[in-house]
Every structure is written in C-alpha cells, then in structure tokens.
Amino acid sequence: MQDVSTINVAVIQKYFVAWWSPGQWMFPGALNYLFGWRLGIGSILITFIFSLSGLFGFYKVYKYFKFSSAIVVFSLLMIIISDTFYTSFIIYQGGEILSFGIFPWFLYYLLKLQKYTFNNLLVVLLLFLLCFVAKTTLIIYCAIAIAYKIFKNPLQRPLFGIFKAGKSDRNNKVFKLFIPLITGAGCIYIFYLDKGVRPSLLNTFHMELSDLLIPLSAPFSGILSVQTNIIRAQKIIFGTGASSYSALIFISAIYAILSFLVLKCIYKFYNSESFTIAYKLVSIFLYAGLAFFFIIAYSFDTNIDSNVRHFKLLAFLFLPGLISIVFNLLNASVFRLIISLFVIHFVADFIYLKDKWTNDRYKSVNYFYRNYDNLERQDQMDEDSYHKLIELDRTIPLMSNNKPVLFFFEGNADIAMDIKHPAVFNTEKQKFNTMRYWGNRAQVFLFLSKNTLHKNPDFCKSSFPDYNDFVIIDQNSRYVIMKVE
C-alpha cells in the first residue's frame, strides 16, 4: 500500500501490509494480468470455481467419513443455503470463498495420507502454503488438522479403547508431518509476515462473555444464517436505541444455548456407533483447537472480528453429524418440511440481501457495485462525478513537470482500485478532510462534495497551507473538481 506523507505531500510512502489474505486479489488480479479481464469479472469466475471446488471437496470428505448419500446431499444443501456461503454470490469475499474451495482438499489429502514420503510431504507443504494464500487464518485450521494426524493414534487409545496402529505410525513416521508444518510456518513468517505491518496477536487482556460463547457456539451459529438472524432479532426486539445491557443479555443467552447444544451434540457424537472414529476425532480436535485459539485471540483484543465466517469450515464439518442426529429424531415428513422451510428462507434472504447490496448503486469500471464492501458507510459520490474522476485519471500522466500527480477524493477505498494515480481517500479510521498536508512539490486534484465546501469554505487552504491556487476545472450538482498548484 502507499500513503501520501502529511509532512511533504510530494513523498509517497510505500509499505507492505501483512494482515490481509494475499490471495483475495492475487487470483482475480492474475486473470486481469493474463487475459485483460476486469477485476469484477475475474472475481465472479473465481467465486464460481472455488464454490464448486469446495462443494466437491466437502462431498469427498463426507464420503470418506462414510455418511450415507442422503446425509451427504442434505449436508451440501445446508452449505448452499447458509449465508456464510451464499453471501459470496452477492459481494466478493475473496478469502472466504478461496478458503472454502481449498481447505476441504487439504483435509481430505491428510485423511487419506498413509505414506510419508518426500513427495507426499511436499504436497502437504504446498497445500499448507496455498491455504495461507487463500486466507491467513486458515493456517490455524491446517495446523490443527496436521496435529490431529500426528496424534490420532495416541488419542484413540484413551478415548475409544483402540490400540491398533498402522505400520508407518508404529514406526513414528507420522511425526514427519512436523516437517511441512514447521517449514510452512517459517516460510510464511520470513517471506510474508515479517515483511511489513501486522497486528500483534496478544494485546491487553480483556475477556468478555462473547469472547467465550461465540467460539463455543460456532458449529451451530456458522450455518443457516443463524448469527445473522440473531442480530436481526436483536434489532427487532430492542431497536437501535435500546439499552445495550438488555441486548447483551439477549445475545449471550442465545449463544449460551447454542454452546450447550454444540456440547450435547459432541457428546452424542462420542457415544454413537453411527459415526466413524475418524469423524469423531477430527470434529472434536478441530472444535477444541479452534475454540481455544479464538477465545485467547478475542480475550487479548486481537484484530479479528467475531463474525462466524471464521468458523464456517468447522460448522460445515459438523453438518452431516448434526443432520444424522436430527434425522433419527424426526420422521421423514417433518424432516423434509423443515428442510423446505430452510430453503424458502434462503431464497427470500438471498433476494433481500441482493436488493440491499445493489439498490441505488452503480457499477464501477471494474464491474463491481460501488461501495461493494461497505454497507453502513457509503460515500456520496454520484455516478457522474465518479466517471469524471476516472476520465481524468486516464488522461493525466503520473508525473507533470517532474512533480507527482496526486488525487484527493471524498469517497471510499474501493475507488482507489479503479485508478492508477496515488490517492488519498476516506478510511474507517480517518477522513482525508481532517488531515493537513504540507509542501507544494506535487500537482494535486481535489474531488470534494459541495456539502463539505459549504460547511467549511476554507477547507482547501487549511488542508493545503503551502498552496495558493485552487482552480475549479469541473463541477456538477454534488461535486467540485479542483486543480491545485
């Protein structure tokens, strides 16, 4: 990323950001570079490819655990109608859809792995690195999955009374899996995390009840739009101006109930002979490992939000076991009725969300809806002003009279993806119109709303004190375009 220095406006500061998933723009960017496709078109193709890959991958995982064809079909259907999956067909969620398409294949390869040869360990390493490229937090899933494979047999003995081990495991060859785990983690740190700005894992300890309940309830709250509907119910019951304490009690009570149901479900897994030992171990191992990691991360205020999308892969792994339990409790007619209601809810919710995310928006030159990643903080740049900005960006060179050409616009970050010039814009943490930029060795173009200029007539001079001439070169009913020299 790059920033314009506030001390000297002609200085462009570049820095590497190491907390974003690298693959979310690498994959559509590669299609843009190789075939000239717009990023939006590339993102649509990536979404479809990795959606199909993930569904087929989970199909293979479910069949490995010997679930019946009916349970597998219902499980895949539940994935499709979960908002942690179908939201990617409304807005582009690079890391989410990439991780969905890759992780089940990593898990399936580990489950099938019997011989720990150099080539097989190399495949594990490459899949491990690919999972990281897809989504940074996916390495937690991968590390736990590898740990499960290594300690599978020692765990079987005390938990299930099974003492038989494979020949390669008896010879401790399974411990060779530490090689791709350590090598992969080292490569990620040296060649990515250590290259730039990254959030610290442990900050001030501050545990809240939600830090405990959200990870514990994740296998249930991560499917069928459960978390989304909890938030909607909270708004309907308490409203936006209601007491936060009352809303907290409501939310905590629901997550506590879900956590209890998850633990009860795990108990049924453990005691049921309907599930394979491998399925029981993988489910319990991943649940315990992910819950432990995220409880610690949330308690120390790590920069990870509490959205259940982080747990969707765990929830999808729980699905066939949960469906099997429910299927055995209900008769076939009631079960089909419940599934039908879920499907109707999915159709209605998809239509609602599609309208919510596209209503009164226009498409960018990269074939995204403007403000595509920002529902609550949309900017006010109208379509005419946006296209004037794009046209100016295409006609003005990057340098003019040995001075860098900079764009300052009152809008959101998605516009910066559409232009080639260094730009300053509004972010979640700051607005560019609250900053002051010194120096005058750059040519600056300002895109300001008339509302801002009306409220602060001296905005230009106060923001750029070393410049004297602010010439209006274009305007419409909403925005003014200025050239500053």
Side-chain angles (χ1 to χ4, degrees), residues 190-318:
I190 295 172
F191 297 108
Y192 191 81
L193 296 179
D194 195 44
K195 293 295 183 179
V197 181
R198 62 186 186 276
S200 58
L201 181 60
L202 300 179
N203 297 308
T204 305
F205 180 80
H206 178 69
M207 175 178 273
E208 298 178 354
L209 189 57
S210 61
D211 298 336
L212 182 68
L213 293 178
I214 289 178
L216 291 178
S217 64
F220 284 2
S221 59
I223 57 175
L224 296 175
S225 313
V226 171
Q227 187 181 62
T228 300
N229 287 323
I230 292 173
I231 296 172
R232 289 172 180 169
Q234 175 196 349
K235 292 180 179 179
I236 292 173
I237 297 172
F238 300 99
T240 55
S243 169
S244 59
Y245 183 72
S246 300
L248 177 62
I249 293 176
F250 173 78
I251 292 291
S252 299
I254 294 180
Y255 280 123
I257 293 171
L258 290 174
S259 299
F260 170 77
L261 292 175
V262 169
L263 294 175
K264 187 173 182 179
C265 185
I266 291 175
Y267 178 78
K268 285 186 173 292
F269 284 178
Y270 180 80
N271 290 285
S272 175
E273 296 182 358
S274 302
F275 309 116
T276 64
I277 299 296
Y279 179 71
K280 297 177 184 180
L281 274 176
V282 171
S283 301
I284 295 173
F285 215 88
L286 275 174
Y287 175 70
L290 289 171
F292 176 79
F293 171 82
F294 280 98
I295 288 171
I296 296 298
Y298 290 153
S299 299
F300 282 91
D301 293 330
T302 304
N303 188 28
I304 303 176
D305 63 43
S306 57
N307 193 292
V308 292
R309 71 180 188 277
H310 301 301
F311 306 95
K312 67 179 184 299
L313 301 173
L314 173 65
F316 296 161
L317 185 62
F318 266 70

Side-chain angles (χ1 to χ4, degrees), residues 150-164:
I150 293 173
F151 299 107
K152 175 183 65 174
N153 285 317
L155 284 172
Q156 284 180 347
R157 295 160 192 166
L159 291 177
F160 301 103
I162 296 175
F163 296 92
K164 183 180 179 180

Side-chain angles (χ1 to χ4, degrees), residues 114 317 411 424:
Q114 297 296 327
L317 185 62
V424 177

Side-chain angles (χ1 to χ4, degrees), residues 333-396:
S333 299
V334 175
F335 183 80
R336 285 195 295 268
L337 175 61
I338 293 174
I339 296 295
S340 299
L341 293 175
F342 284 147
V343 172
I344 292 172
H345 174 272
F346 152 69
V347 173
D349 196 52
F350 187 88
I351 294 172
Y352 166 75
L353 288 176
K354 178 65 176 176
D355 181 70
K356 185 178 181 179
W357 280 95
T358 60
N359 189 36
D360 296 327
R361 301 195 188 195
Y362 54 91
K363 293 186 180 70
S364 72
V365 293
N366 269 309
Y367 209 68
F368 290 104
Y369 279 97
R370 279 288 341 282
N371 293 288
Y372 78 94
D373 64 341
N374 197 330
L375 189 60
E376 303 298 331
R377 295 176 299 276
Q378 297 185 46
D379 63 41
Q380 299 303 310
M381 184 170 288
D382 60 287
E383 188 171 6
D384 179 62
S385 302
Y386 168 79
H387 283 290
K388 288 180 184 293
L389 186 156
I390 297 298
E391 183 62 28
L392 195 63
D393 173 71
R394 291 176 175 177
T395 56
I396 300 296

